Amino acid sequence: MENKLKELKEEALKQIEASEALDKLNEIRVAYLGKKGELTALLKGMKDLSSEERPKFGQLVNDARKVIEEKLEESKNRLASVIREEQLKTEVIDVTLPAKKSNVGHRHPNMIALEEVERIFIGMGYEVVEGPEIEYDYYNFEALNIPANHPAKDEQDTFYINDKILLRTQTSPVQVREMEKGKLPIRMIAPGRVFRSDEVDATHSPSFHQIEGLVIDKNITFADLKGTLAEFAKELFGPQTKVKFRPHHFPFTEPSAEVDVTCFKCGGKGCRMCKGSGWIEILGCGMVHPHVLEMSKIDPKEYTGFAFGVGLERIALLKYEIDDMRLLYENDIRFLKQF
Ligand code: DAH
């Protein structure tokens, strides 16, 4: 067996020496060292040896293996440098050719608008928080004063996961999550994605974004709400902007209002942008309903607060005078680059 091993080793080394391609080296590796290779076969034959001879022979096989491996490595390096040498001699690189342009993306108008809104509220001392997009029915409806059979539930065509879990239809549940933490006062905005089972058209999408706002403290009044939103509108749409509060109903606020701003295009005279009225609706708001405070373990006799909800796409569409919401979701770089 020892002779056989010696022969095999020499044969392998000879073959390695003679080979002129990397593939060939690999073939040799497989033929000698592979699972079904010659050397492995020799190891399997060891069972016929006596127990004294066995470890000695095992050692010899391992030594041979090492020598072959080293030779393979050496030849591989030698071949690789020959190939490279050859390449350098024949390859021509024209350094005067124009480079490939790398495609840099562009910030989305939604993102630009959101950062603007965040900047304004952070400047007024607000914190930016987030809540989950997959939400409990309790947070999305129940704890916001919208019980199981309330008609307001029908207005928001909801994607249910089961009867307790859904895709949130509004960012308002983040209000409840913040109030439940029990840390007062609260001054927060909560931007995020919301979902409604709506058909896609120029003003609707099954998935869009809202920015929720909530302030809870002692002695917060409707005057604070008005002042805050008037300031927000001025910062966002320009210093001449005026706000108008129209009475409205939301189950989680009382009193509630919808807010219009003077059209920033015509200054209130009436134009195509504001459909001739001079006003543009931008958000819903109100004083947090005492029952909503109670459900989140806040004493309405001690604390009051206001809340508001803005559609982010609506802000982006208005600010950049985009007339079709679908453009915001196509991510066409030629469109995005304009903002
Ligand atoms: N969540 C409301 C909606 O999606 C918007 C809203 C209205 C939020 C009034 C508020 C609010 O916080 O006070 O229609």
Side-chain angles (χ1 to χ4, degrees):
M1 276 180 95
E2 274 182 42
N3 280 342
K4 172 97 175 125
L5 175 63
K6 214 162 152 214
E7 260 169 45
L8 276 180
K9 186 171 96 179
E10 259 144 37
E11 181 55 28
L13 294 180
K14 213 158 33 162
Q15 284 187 19
I16 295 171
E17 195 73 48
S19 56
E20 262 158 27
L22 291 172
D23 301 359
K24 182 78 190 142
L25 284 181
N26 209 27
E27 274 169 32
I28 299 171
R29 178 192 300 281
V30 174
Y32 286 92
L33 310 180
K35 259 197 191 146
K36 293 193 178 122
E38 304 269 8
L39 230 54
T40 321
L42 267 188
L43 276 177
K44 281 183 191 149
M46 266 170 49
K47 60 181 185 318
D48 303 327
L49 293 176
S50 70
S51 52
E52 297 97 68
E53 282 174 316
R54 231 178 271 157
K56 228 175 81 200
F57 186 69
Q59 185 61 45
L60 286 176
V61 174
N62 279 340
D63 291 347
R65 186 183 183 87
K66 219 171 137 208
V67 173
I68 295 172
E69 272 171 354
E70 278 167 9
K71 188 77 187 167
L72 277 169
E73 188 63 27
E74 188 193 302
S75 296
K76 198 174 101 187
N77 291 340
R78 179 173 51 81
L79 278 180
S81 72
V82 170
I83 290 168
R84 177 130 186 83
E85 216 39 47
E86 200 56 31
Q87 215 178 15
L88 286 175
K89 265 191 229 145
T90 55
E91 210 174 70
V92 186
I93 298 174
D94 183 353
V95 292
T96 65
L97 278 177
K100 263 193 211 151
K101 264 205 195 136
S102 60
N103 241 337
V104 179
H106 192 276
R107 283 200 315 161
H108 195 279
N110 270 356
M111 210 53 213
I112 305 174
L114 174 59
E115 280 171 16
E116 179 70 6
V117 173
E118 286 184 348
R119 186 189 63 75
I120 297 169
F121 281 103
I122 289 171
M124 292 196 259
Y126 286 58
E127 206 185 332
V128 181
V129 302
E130 276 183 28
E133 290 172 3
I134 301 172
E135 187 53 285
Y136 289 106
D137 181 278
Y138 175 77
Y139 288 104
N140 196 83
F141 291 125
E142 201 81 22
L144 289 165
N145 227 7
I146 312 171
N149 298 316
H150 197 286
K153 233 172 146 164
D154 295 339
E155 278 168 27
Q156 303 192 352
D157 298 318
T158 313
F159 291 114
Y160 283 95
I161 290 180
N162 58 37
D163 53 355
K164 287 205 175 67
I165 298 173
L166 43 81
L167 299 185
R168 65 176 177 191
T169 61
Q170 47 186 356
T171 43
S172 306
V174 190
Q175 290 187 31
V176 182
R177 288 180 173 273
E178 279 305 296
M179 288 191 289
E180 273 190 354
K181 286 184 184 163
K183 268 197 276 165
L184 293 169
I186 296 169
R187 254 176 203 78
M188 65 124 212
I189 55 168
R193 194 183 280 276
V194 300
F195 306 84
R196 291 186 199 179
S197 172
D198 278 336
E199 295 289 335
V200 176
D201 65 25
T203 53
H204 291 85
S205 159
S207 153
F208 57 103
H209 300 78
Q210 290 185 333
I211 306 165
E212 195 73 16
L214 176 70
V215 170
I216 309 271
D217 205 345
K218 288 176 178 160
N219 305 315
I220 297 287
T221 69
F222 204 95
D224 297 306
L225 171 60
K226 272 190 98 171
T228 304
L229 293 181
E231 186 55 34
F232 166 63
K234 281 202 180 88
E235 289 250 5
L236 193 63
F237 295 115
Q240 287 85 12
T241 314
K242 291 197 188 70
V243 286
K244 176 166 79 177
F245 285 68
R246 276 181 293 105
H248 197 78
H249 170 262
F250 296 106
F252 36 91
T253 42
E254 179 58 35
S256 307
E258 273 184 344
V259 175
D260 300 345
V261 293
T262 41
C263 179
F264 48 86
K265 191 88 204 258
C266 64
K269 286 198 281 299
C271 67
R272 212 174 66 94
M273 188 91 187
C274 55
K275 299 194 187 86
S277 75
W279 294 95
I280 296 175
E281 180 198 323
I282 59 158
L283 58 81
C285 65
M287 299 304 292
V288 181
H289 197 294
H291 189 223
V292 169
L293 292 173
E294 269 167 0
M295 280 188 281
S296 290
K297 311 274 183 300
I298 296 175
D299 182 358
K301 286 191 215 70
E302 200 182 346
Y303 284 95
T304 51
F306 65 76
F308 55 88
V310 197
L312 178 59
E313 279 79 356
R314 193 163 166 73
I315 302 281
L317 295 180
L318 285 172
K319 237 182 121 64
Y320 303 114
E321 298 181 34
I322 303 166
D323 57 10
D324 193 326
M325 192 168 172
R326 285 168 287 199
L327 290 165
L328 289 178
Y329 301 118
E330 283 166 1
N331 265 347
D332 185 329
I333 192 78
R334 292 165 303 179
F335 168 74
L336 296 177
K337 273 211 167 126
Q338 302 173 82
F339 308 102

